[in-house]
C-alpha cells in the first residue's frame, strides 16, 4: 500500500507518514504520525493534570533541512556542528546546542551540588566545600608544609585516593614533581645543603661541592677568552648564566653517569644552581629541578614535605576542653593562635628537628643527636 487515509484528520497520506502496527491488516497505524503525536500529547497532558502538573504546548515535528537540528531551549534551528556528541542518543548528538548545554549543566550542578566547585570536589575527592573550609580553618588558613602561603588546593594520595590536607599551589605541585616520594625529597634536602653523595663526589673531583658561577672570571682570568673558534649558542648561554661552558656541562654529565644528581633515576637534563651565589651544584632531571624550585629551594620545606607524605607531619593532639586540634610543628603550637607570617621561629626549630630525626628514629625509639659536649663527644637525647 502506497497511501492510506488517516482516521483523525481524514487526509490520504503516503504510507511513510504512518507508524508500523502489526495488529492492522495493512501493517500500518490507524493515524498518521502528526495525529498520533497529538493523541499522545493529549493523553499525557491529562495524566499530568491529574497529578497537578502542567506541560508545555504540543509542538509538531519539524521538517528540517539536511545537516540542521533544532535546539528546544533556545528554540533555534542550527547546524549540527553546533551540537555536542552524545552516544546514548540515536542521532549521536546532544539534545541542546553547546551554549544551551553548558547552561543546563551549570544549572543542574547549582541545584544538585550547590555550584561548580562543590561538584568538582565531590567528583574528584569525595569531599564537600564545607569540609574543605573546615580543614582550612583547622590549619589556621596556611599550607601545612610551607606555613607561609594560603591553603587553597586539596591534596590527596594518588595511591588511596584519600584527601590528606589543603596545600598551597607550589607545595602541591612540588609533591607531584617528586612523585610523592619521601626518600627523594630528603635526598633533595641533603643536596641543597651540599651534604649528600653528589656533594662528596664533587669535592673529590674539583675540591669543592659547587663550581662555576658569575664570579668565575675573577679567579680564572683566561676562561672567557680561551679558544678562538666560534662556540655553540648553548656555550654562551651557560657561560653567561651559570659561569660554565659547554665542555664543563659535558664533563659534569660524565661525572654523574648521565643521571640526575638527586634521584639518580632519570636522565640529567637541567643545570641546577644556587640562586644566591649563582654557583652550579649539579645536573638534575626535570622533576627534581622543578620540584626543588616549587618548594623554594628550601631544605626545611623538602623535609617537611617528606614527613607529610609519610603522615608524620600533621598530628592530632587533645585540647584542655576535651576536643582535638592539629599540630604542624615541633615544638607544638596551636595553628589558630599563630598570626599570618608568624611561623618563622617555629619553622627554624622544626627544621632542625626534622634534619636530625629520621622516620625510623621514632619507630624504634632510637636516641636523637642533639649536639656535642665540651669535650667534643656526641650528645643524644
Amino acid at each position: 500500500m502506497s497511501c492510506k487515509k488517516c482516521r483523525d484528520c481524514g487526509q490520504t497520506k503516503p504510507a511513510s507518514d504512518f507508524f508500523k502496527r502489526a495488529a492492522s491488516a495493512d501493517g500500518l497505524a490507524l493515524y498518521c504520525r502528526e495525529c498520533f503525536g497529538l493523541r499522545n500529547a493529549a493523553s499525557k497532558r491529562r495524566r499530568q493534570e491529574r497529578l497537578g502538573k502542567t506541560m508545555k504546548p504540543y509542538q509538531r515535528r519539524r521538517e528540517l533541512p539536511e545537516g540542521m537540528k533544532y535546539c528546544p531551549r533556545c528554540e533555534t534551528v542550527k547546524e549540527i556542528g553546533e551540537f555536542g556528541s552524545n552516544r546514548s542518543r540515536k542521532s549521536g548528538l546532544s539534545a541542546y546546542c553547546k551554549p544551551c548545554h553548558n547552561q543546563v549543566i551549570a544549572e543542574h550542578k547549582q541545584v544538585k551540588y550547590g555550584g561548580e566547585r562543590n561538584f568538582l570536589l565531590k567528583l574528584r575527592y569525595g569531599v564537600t566545600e564545607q569540609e574543605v573550609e573546615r580543614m582550612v580553618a583547622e590549619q589556621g588558613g596556611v599550607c601545612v608544609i610551607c606555613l607561609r602561603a594560603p591553603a587553597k588546593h586539596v591534596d590527596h594520595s594518588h595511591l588511596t585516593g584519600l584527601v590528606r590536607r589543603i596545600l598551597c599551589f607550589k607545595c602541591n605541585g612540588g609533591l607531584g614533581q617528586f612523585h610523592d616520594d619521601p626518600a627523594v625529597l630528603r635526598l633533595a634536602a641533603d643536596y641543597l645543603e651540599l651534604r649528600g653523595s653528589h656533594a662528596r663526589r664533587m669535592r673529590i673531583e674539583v675540591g669543592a661541592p659547587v663550581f662555576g658561577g658569575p664570579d668565575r672570571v675573577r679567579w680564572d682570568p683566561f676562561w672567557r677568552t680561551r679558544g678562538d673558534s666560534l662556540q655553540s649558542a648553548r656555550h654562551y648561554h651557560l657561560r653567561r648564566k651559570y659561569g660554565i661552558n659547554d665542555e664543563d656541562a659535558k664533563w659534569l654529565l660524565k661525572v654523574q653517569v648521565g643521571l640526575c644528581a638527586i634521584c639518580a633515576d632519570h636522565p640529567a637534563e637541567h643545570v641546577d644552581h644556587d640562586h644566591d651565589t649563582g654557583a652550579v651544584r649539579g645536573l638534575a632531571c626535570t622533576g627534581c629541578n622543578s620540584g626543588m624550585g616549587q618548594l623554594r629551594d628550601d631544605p626545611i620545606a623538602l623535609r617537611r614535605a617528606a614527613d607529610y607524605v609519610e603522615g608524620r607531619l600533621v598530628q592530632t593532639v587533645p585540647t584542655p576542653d576535651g576536643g582535638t586540634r592539629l599540630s604542624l610543628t615541633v615544638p607544638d603550637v596551636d595553628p589558630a593562635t599563630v598570626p599570618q607570617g608568624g611561623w618563622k621561629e617555629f619553622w627554624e626549630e622544626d627544621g632542625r628537628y626534622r634534619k636530625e630525626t629520621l622516620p625510623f628514629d621514632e619507630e624504634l625509639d632510637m636516641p636523637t643527636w642533639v649536639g656535642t659536649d665540651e669535650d667534643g663527644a656526641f650528645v643524644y637525647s
Side-chain angles (χ1 to χ4, degrees):
M1 177 180 289
S2 59
C3 296
K4 181 174 180 175
K5 184 177 181 180
C6 174
R7 290 190 179 185
D8 269 6
C9 64
Q11 298 181 18
T12 301
K13 297 183 177 181
S16 59
D17 285 354
F18 293 79
F19 292 109
K20 293 182 180 180
R21 181 172 181 264
S24 299
D26 56 6
L28 299 176
L30 303 177
Y31 315 102
C32 65
R33 294 174 184 264
E34 185 177 332
C35 294
F36 198 90
L38 289 170
R39 279 177 165 269
N40 279 349
S43 176
K44 185 174 182 180
R45 184 173 292 103
R46 288 193 295 269
R47 292 196 302 270
Q48 295 298 319
E49 288 174 353
R50 286 196 293 268
L51 298 174
K53 300 179 181 180
T54 58
M55 291 182 56
K56 294 196 306 183
Y58 171 75
Q59 293 183 351
R60 295 184 177 182
R61 183 181 179 88
R62 291 173 177 80
E63 295 294 335
L64 300 176
E66 186 71 22
M68 306 295 286
K69 181 175 170 59
Y70 175 76
C71 174
R73 183 177 176 87
C74 62
E75 300 182 347
T76 307
V77 177
K78 298 183 177 181
E79 296 181 357
I80 59 175
E82 298 190 38
F83 291 79
S85 59
N86 187 341
R87 292 184 296 177
S88 65
R89 299 179 66 87
K90 184 178 180 180
S91 63
L93 301 173
S94 60
Y96 307 107
C97 63
K98 292 178 181 179
C100 292
H101 178 81
N102 293 338
Q103 293 176 10
V104 170
I105 295 299
E107 292 171 2
H108 173 73
K109 291 176 181 177
Q110 185 64 41
V111 171
K112 189 171 182 180
Y113 300 98
E116 176 75 14
R117 174 171 170 77
N118 207 38
F119 166 75
L120 292 175
L121 289 172
K122 290 287 289 183
L123 176 67
R124 296 175 180 174
Y125 310 115
V127 296
T128 64
E129 195 168 5
Q130 290 73 25
E131 291 173 327
V132 171
E133 291 174 355
R134 176 181 57 80
M135 295 174 71
V136 172
E138 289 177 342
Q139 300 172 197
V142 297
C143 168
V144 297
I145 294 180
C146 68
L147 300 177
R148 64 187 76 176
K152 294 183 178 180
H153 296 266
V154 177
D155 173 62
H156 72 293
S157 169
H158 292 271
L159 181 62
T160 64
L162 298 177
V163 172
R164 292 186 289 213
R165 276 291 150 187
I166 315 301
L167 307 179
C168 67
F169 173 79
K170 287 187 175 181
C171 289
N172 193 37
L175 289 181
Q177 293 292 345
F178 282 109
H179 306 289
D180 283 4
D181 191 332
V184 178
L185 286 162
R186 292 191 178 95
L187 287 173
D190 289 344
Y191 169 83
L192 288 174
E193 293 174 335
L194 306 178
R195 68 189 201 121
S197 60
H198 176 73
R200 291 194 295 270
R201 178 169 52 189
M202 291 297 293
R203 286 189 177 94
I204 294 173
E205 295 290 343
V206 297
V210 296
F211 76 110
D215 296 334
R216 184 178 182 180
V217 67
R218 296 179 182 175
W219 54 268
D220 190 357
F222 300 104
W223 173 71
R224 286 183 179 272
T225 57
R226 191 176 296 137
D228 298 329
S229 61
L230 186 65
Q231 301 294 329
S232 65
R234 174 178 168 82
H235 168 90
Y236 294 104
H237 169 73
L238 293 172
R239 189 175 71 176
R240 176 183 59 82
K241 189 171 184 180
Y242 305 114
I244 63 174
N245 55 34
D246 208 3
E247 291 182 1
D248 294 328
K250 292 177 181 178
W251 170 83
L252 186 56
L253 185 64
K254 184 178 179 180
V255 168
Q256 297 180 197
V257 201
L259 297 176
C260 173
I262 299 168
C263 67
D265 288 331
H266 303 286
E269 298 174 335
H270 301 276
V271 177
D272 173 63
H273 70 293
D274 188 319
H275 291 271
D276 293 329
T277 66
V280 173
R281 290 183 289 234
L283 301 179
C285 65
T286 301
C288 290
N289 191 48
S290 301
M292 288 192 302
Q294 289 186 306
L295 289 168
R296 304 169 179 85
D297 278 6
D298 189 336
I300 298 178
L302 285 159
R303 291 192 178 96
R304 285 179 60 84
D307 286 349
Y308 169 79
V309 171
E310 292 180 331
R312 302 173 63 248
L313 179 68
V314 182
Q315 303 293 330
T316 302
V317 297
T319 57
D321 60 0
T324 59
R325 64 168 175 82
L326 296 185
S327 174
L328 308 180
T329 57
V330 177
D332 173 43
V333 62
D334 186 353
T337 64
V338 181
Q340 185 72 25
W343 286 97
K344 184 175 180 180
E345 60 174 301
F346 304 106
W347 174 266
E348 294 174 351
E349 192 166 350
D350 182 81
R352 288 192 292 270
Y353 164 78
R354 298 187 190 280
K355 182 177 180 179
E356 298 167 359
T357 307
L358 293 175
F360 57 79
D361 293 337
E362 293 184 351
E363 295 173 3
L364 300 180
D365 197 21
M366 295 178 65
T368 302
W369 178 79
V370 295
T372 56
D373 59 16
E374 295 178 354
D375 298 328
F378 291 149
V379 178
Y380 296 90
S381 63

